[in-house]
Each structure stands twice: as structure tokens, then as C-alpha cells.
Amino acid sequence: MPTDSPIHVLIPAAGVGQRAGTPCPKQYQPVAGAPVLAHTLRVFAPLRAQGQLAQVWLVVAPQDGWLDGALPDVDAHARVLRCGGASRAASVANGLAAMRQAGVADHAWVLVHDAARCLLQPAQVTALIAAGRAAAARGDAWPGALLALPLPDTLKQADAQDRVAATVARVDKWLAQTPQMFRLAELQAALARAFDGDDYPGVTDEASAMEALGARPQLVVGSAQNLKLTYPDDFALAEALLQARALAAGG
Ligand SMILES: Nc1ccn([C@@H]2O[C@H](COP(=O)(O)OP(=O)(O)OP(=O)(O)O)[C@@H](O)[C@H]2O)c(=O)n1
Ligand SMILES: C[C@](O)(CO)[C@H](O)COP(=O)(O)O
């Protein structure tokens, strides 16, 4: 299979953001002057303009009533798929099926990226793409790669009462981030294999589904700034980081 297959981005954005406690689904919450999702889409714009990316696909919930108001120009940045599912994995699986129906090749690369990680930077995407292609070029079975962060803190294992049961060696532990890069048909097959008729138990990211097939995706050092906005405090941090970047860029 060609290592230089077209590269697509798939952004699952069909969650409700329950833990964030925002008045709207967190991907539509304004941060530093724009909805979280607008910042996320903006990361991929220069890569598309340079021809590194073929298309960005955005998965929202079928009943989403926020997108058109929050991002009236979304069609300029992404093809919108209103096929979100009950879980992140279901939204990704539905998005992949829609991409294939739309004619995207089986061997195309797909970079799955959380809408809620709006602090990703284009250089990290470029590094990930290089690692994914290198995995294919060296002949890895089910080649792929993901951004991740070596664990920066001491890791504790808890007992049922939240007391420390053990200190776990952290030298080989990483925190998975997104984007995660795999070939479309291989990721689709991995998710189909994980489906139990209702949901995708144990599939908390794309790599976990691929690992169950036997894949050994390449870990690529991301950044602590590539955080997933999950809890209320995360929004103030994102606001500060985005404003600092705008200032540094002279904006
Ligand atoms: N059914 C779902 C659930 C999540 N996501 C997306 O997957 C990403 C990561 O998920 P998470 O941070 O857990 O988002 P939510 O599910 O919205 O958050 P919560 O679990 O707090 O409700 C988000 O961009 C979210 O919109 C999705 O597309 N479809
Ligand atoms: C995919 C992910 O962002 C990798 O860290 C994470 O697993 C998503 O978890 P969530 O609980 O669905 O937010």
C-alpha cells in the first residue's frame, strides 16, 4: 500500500460535554473569542492550504442545534457529517463509514482528533504524519501513530478507599492524546471487531481498537498544552494559552 496515501482528518464533535459543565456542548463554548471547535478547525487550515491534508470531516450529533449558529462558515473548513453516535467510538465509526460512502479510499490515512483538543499545533500534526508514514515505510503491520505524553508525575495505584495501594513504575507510561493516525479501512475493521452489538467496550481511543488487532502504533511526543478540555478549570487554562499565542503572533 502507498505510504503517501491521501491524508484526511476526522473530528468527533458529537459529545455533550457533561463533565465540563458549560451551558452548551463544550465544543461550542467560546474561549478566547471563538468557539472551541473554531480553534480546533483552525489548526488544520494551514496544512490544508499547503496540500498536506486532503479533507477535514466533522462529525456532529444528528440533532445538533448549535453548529450553524456557532460556526456559520463551517463548510469552508470541513465537510459536516451529522452522524454522531452514543459514544466517541460510535461517532468515529459512523464518520469513517460516511467517508467511505463519499468515496475516500480504503488505504487513505485518517487522523482522528478530538474537537475538545483545541490547543493542538500544526507542527505536531506534521510530526505525527511523518511517524505514521515511517511506520508504513518500515513495513509495520497495521501502521499508525498517535500523539502522547510521557507521564510527568509519579503514578499511584489506589485501593477501593482511594488509599495508595502501590507506586507504579512510570518509565514506560504515556498519556494518549490525539490526533491518532491509521489507515481508514484498517481502523474501520478494528472498530467493527470491537463492536458488541451496542457499543465499543474498552475502546477509549483509536489506538486501543487497533492494538486489539495486534497493531503497535508509534508514540510521538505531543505537548502538555494539547490538553482535552474536560473539566471547568480547563477552559481558563485554554483561554490563557490561546491569548498568549495570539499575543506572541502579534495579534
Ligand atoms: N458520543 C460522543 C462522545 C464524544 N464525542 C467527542 O469525542 C471527543 C472526546 O470526548 P470527551 O472529551 O469525552 O467529550 P464528551 O463526551 O462531550 O464529554 P463528557 O464525557 O464530559 O460528556 C469530544 O470532541 C467529543 O465531542 C463524540 O463525537 N461523540
Ligand atoms: C481519545 C482520548 O482523547 C485520548 O486520550 C481520550 O481517551 C478520550 O477520552 P474521553 O473520556 O472520551 O474524553
Side-chain angles (χ1 to χ4, degrees):
M1 266 197 262
T3 56
D4 61 347
S5 301
I7 301 171
H8 292 255
V9 174
L10 178 62
I11 301 180
V16 295
Q18 197 177 5
R19 290 169 289 178
T22 46
C24 56
K26 64 185 177 187
Q27 55 274 30
Y28 300 120
Q29 178 69 17
V31 175
V36 166
L37 181 55
H39 293 291
T40 306
L41 289 170
R42 215 172 273 161
V43 174
F44 299 102
L47 301 168
R48 273 187 83 191
Q50 292 158 14
Q52 285 198 58
L53 300 176
Q55 183 59 278
V56 177
W57 305 77
L58 178 67
V59 177
V60 299
Q63 70 280 11
D64 184 300
W66 296 89
L67 179 66
D68 297 335
L71 287 101
D73 64 343
V74 67
D75 292 338
H77 302 283
R79 275 188 63 176
V80 178
L81 305 169
R82 294 184 180 272
C83 62
S87 64
R88 183 185 177 284
S91 294
V92 171
N94 294 349
L96 295 174
M99 288 170 65
R100 265 184 110 169
Q101 269 184 356
V104 178
D106 288 4
H107 60 85
W109 293 109
V110 184
L111 273 57
V112 181
H113 182 61
D114 293 330
R117 290 189 194 267
C118 63
L119 287 143
L120 177 69
Q121 298 195 281
Q124 294 162 341
V125 181
T126 303
L128 177 74
I129 290 171
R133 283 183 165 154
R138 69 175 172 249
D140 279 14
W142 309 284
L146 63 148
L147 292 188
L149 200 62
L151 206 65
D153 301 318
T154 298
L155 183 61
K156 300 294 184 189
Q157 186 174 329
D159 68 12
Q161 287 77 41
D162 283 348
R163 290 176 309 199
V164 174
T167 297
V168 181
R170 68 178 176 186
V171 67
D172 58 352
K173 305 289 185 298
W174 295 59
L175 295 166
Q177 301 184 338
T178 68
Q180 302 196 0
M181 174 177 178
F182 296 100
R183 291 204 191 270
L184 193 159
E186 292 180 351
L187 180 54
Q188 207 179 16
L191 288 169
R193 188 172 184 265
F195 188 57
D196 71 356
D198 180 36
D199 207 345
Y200 298 81
V203 178
T204 54
D205 65 353
E206 289 60 56
S208 56
M210 295 298 298
E211 289 154 38
L213 289 184
R216 305 283 300 275
Q218 182 71 48
L219 293 160
V220 177
V221 176
S223 161
Q225 290 192 13
N226 183 25
L227 72 153
K228 180 163 67 65
L229 302 192
T230 304
Y231 297 106
D233 281 354
D234 298 335
F235 291 80
L237 184 54
E239 175 99 21
L241 288 167
L242 287 165
Q243 282 179 354
R245 286 183 190 176
L247 269 178

